[in-house]
Amino acid sequence: MQFSTFHNLRISQLGFGAMRLPTLPGGGVDRAATRRMVAMALEGGVNYFDTAYPYHNGESELALGEALRGVPRERYLLATKYPGHQLQSRHDPAAVFEHQLKKCGVEYFDFYLLHNVCETSIATYRNAEYGILEYLLRQKEAGRIRWLGFSSHARLPLLQSFLQEAGGSLSFCQIQLNYLDWTLQQAKEKLALLQAYNMPVWVMEPLRGGRLARLPQAQTAKLQAEAPGQSPVGLAFRFVRSLPGVVTTLSGMSSPEQVAENCAIFEQPDELTDRERALLLAVAESLKSEIPCTGCGYCLADCPAGLNIPRLLQSYNDLRLGGGITVGMQIDELPPEERPAACRHCGRCAALCPQGIAAGDLLQ
């Protein structure tokens, strides 16, 4: 495993993201599979584990805490996040934080983030009545948080204004970064901005919810011809690893096979060549006609129709890429209340979406 240095810590360049843990057929996290995956990751040298309050409907923190129970505390670094992007009404930061410690079964968090500081959550984080940042800084002073940072899907102007007002209190930033979003979501400019503030970068969505691991046949063939022996997954990871200021790259792994593959990729210190970088950016240009849904699930909590919007948008993209009859059959198998036509066009999904996707219009 390759490592980065952050202050006095050695952090594995591959981080274990717990947003896409394996699930059981009847619902809920597959705890046994999660324990096996965590054990494999530790064996492979991974020491950074990332979860959040809302992942898997609140079960991710429990499952990850359970999987790490019994592992010497100094062997791993645990990160979770404050759900300010979801708590839009009056709430007590202390109650949320204490609950997270209990769920994870720890006395402190190595890394703690303000979750998704963006246009729809900034009012909550700035609300003096809640005092979220002030409370978390007190927990840092008390040793219950070692390093405080934030994650963000914000557009560039808000990211800059937030850094101006709060950057001095925060030690790192987690952003969506991959070769598709390098231009599509101004990731190049966001990275430059964070560098200007000397803010170390944690990468999320390096494969864009797995989309860059499942390229259309034409793009896959092009990569194989121009970069023989390199997998789409390996190239995508190497793209973000080669960027300045990147400390660790989070991968939301869902199977032991993905853990093994990713650990093997991060075993090597390979730098991306200029030719490979140009090739990936050319592939990105050919993919830009897709809908940029990452499957984060932020839209699910407030959909009055209860639709699985990320799954439906994935079907939409598959149809655009030639999914045809297979996708049509998948939609036809759904009960009427779960099909795109059940959308009520309320606009709530667009307000919550970090990618700014107007899902209602697309479902129509």
Side-chain angles (χ1 to χ4, degrees), residues 291 293 308-324 326-332 334 340 363:
I291 305 306
C293 175
N308 188 333
I309 298 170
R311 186 174 69 177
L312 294 174
L313 290 183
Q314 183 180 30
S315 297
Y316 184 95
N317 274 332
D318 286 349
L319 284 168
R320 289 162 61 100
L321 291 169
T326 301
V327 180
M329 291 173 60
Q330 293 171 352
I331 296 295
D332 289 342
L334 297 173
L363 295 183

Side-chain angles (χ1 to χ4, degrees), residues 21-42:
L21 296 173
T23 56
L24 297 167
V29 174
D30 186 333
R31 302 288 185 92
T34 297
R35 288 194 297 270
R36 290 195 298 272
M37 290 168 58
V38 167
M40 286 181 62
L42 287 165

Side-chain angles (χ1 to χ4, degrees), residues 38-364:
V38 167
M40 286 181 62
L42 287 165
E43 182 67 24
V46 174
N47 69 355
Y48 190 93
F49 295 84
D50 169 270
T51 182
Y53 190 84
Y55 290 173
H56 287 282
N57 296 317
E59 193 181 354
S60 176
E61 289 176 326
L62 288 166
L64 189 58
E66 177 186 285
L68 289 167
R69 198 160 299 141
V71 179
R73 189 64 179 86
E74 65 275 10
R75 278 199 62 194
Y76 66 90
L77 303 167
L78 181 61
T80 193
K81 310 175 187 73
Y82 187 86
H85 67 298
Q86 290 190 323
L87 302 176
Q88 302 296 328
S89 58
R90 183 179 179 85
H91 59 277
D92 179 11
V96 174
F97 184 77
E98 297 294 341
H99 189 210
Q100 290 178 292
L101 286 171
K102 183 177 180 180
K103 288 171 69 181
C104 292
V106 295
E107 296 182 353
Y108 66 91
F109 293 115
D110 299 282
F111 294 87
Y112 195 87
L113 299 84
L114 302 177
H115 197 170
N116 193 19
V117 175
C118 65
E119 286 76 9
T120 58
S121 68
I122 190 63
T124 298
Y125 285 120
R126 286 172 172 163
N127 191 318
E129 181 183 357
Y130 301 152
I132 296 169
L133 181 57
E134 291 76 9
Y135 170 79
L136 295 176
L137 287 171
R138 291 197 298 271
Q139 302 315 302
K140 186 174 184 294
E141 292 174 4
R144 304 175 85 197
I145 295 172
R146 295 178 68 186
W147 300 100
L148 184 62
F150 71 106
S151 70
S152 180
H153 290 281
R155 292 186 292 273
L156 196 62
L158 178 60
L159 182 60
Q160 183 167 17
S161 67
F162 183 73
L163 286 168
Q164 289 172 345
E165 65 189 66
S169 301
L170 303 169
S171 300
F172 65 101
C173 176
Q174 185 169 305
I175 61 169
Q176 180 172 315
L177 183 55
N178 54 67
Y179 66 81
L180 178 58
D181 288 319
W182 189 244
T183 53
L184 188 60
Q185 298 224 3
Q186 291 190 288
K188 179 180 180 180
E189 290 79 4
K190 292 176 183 178
L191 182 63
L193 175 64
L194 292 167
Q195 287 181 287
Y197 278 84
N198 296 313
M199 185 74 69
V201 173
W202 272 229
V203 172
M204 59 179 164
E205 301 292 356
L207 301 178
R208 225 173 195 275
R211 186 64 193 88
L212 300 181
R214 303 184 301 272
L215 295 174
Q217 185 175 357
Q219 281 85 351
T220 300
K222 184 175 181 62
L223 289 181
Q224 290 174 343
E226 299 290 335
Q230 298 290 331
S231 70
V233 172
L235 286 167
F237 279 136
R238 288 173 60 214
F239 178 86
V240 295
R241 287 174 66 190
S242 67
L243 297 172
V246 170
V247 173
T248 190
T249 300
L250 302 176
S251 176
M253 295 171 277
S254 303
S255 69
E257 292 75 19
Q258 290 177 358
V259 175
E261 179 183 8
N262 292 352
C263 284
I265 290 170
F266 280 82
E267 194 67 34
Q268 306 300 322
D270 298 340
E271 289 290 329
L272 198 72
T273 67
D274 290 341
R275 180 178 179 180
E276 289 169 335
R277 181 177 290 103
L279 176 62
L280 290 176
L281 293 177
V283 168
E285 289 303 313
S286 69
L287 293 173
K288 281 187 179 180
S289 63
E290 291 193 55
I291 305 306
C293 175
T294 68
C296 69
Y298 292 165
C299 57
L300 296 176
D302 207 29
C303 176
L307 295 178
N308 188 333
I309 298 170
R311 186 174 69 177
L312 294 174
L313 290 183
Q314 183 180 30
S315 297
Y316 184 95
N317 274 332
D318 286 349
L319 284 168
R320 289 162 61 100
L321 291 169
I325 295 174
T326 301
V327 180
M329 291 173 60
Q330 293 171 352
I331 296 295
D332 289 342
E333 289 174 355
L334 297 173
E337 65 271 15
E338 295 180 15
R339 296 177 188 172
C343 173
R344 301 178 187 177
H345 309 292
C346 64
R348 295 179 187 175
C349 52
L352 291 170
C353 180
Q355 320 303 330
I357 300 170
D361 293 343
L362 297 171
L363 295 183
Q364 186 176 22

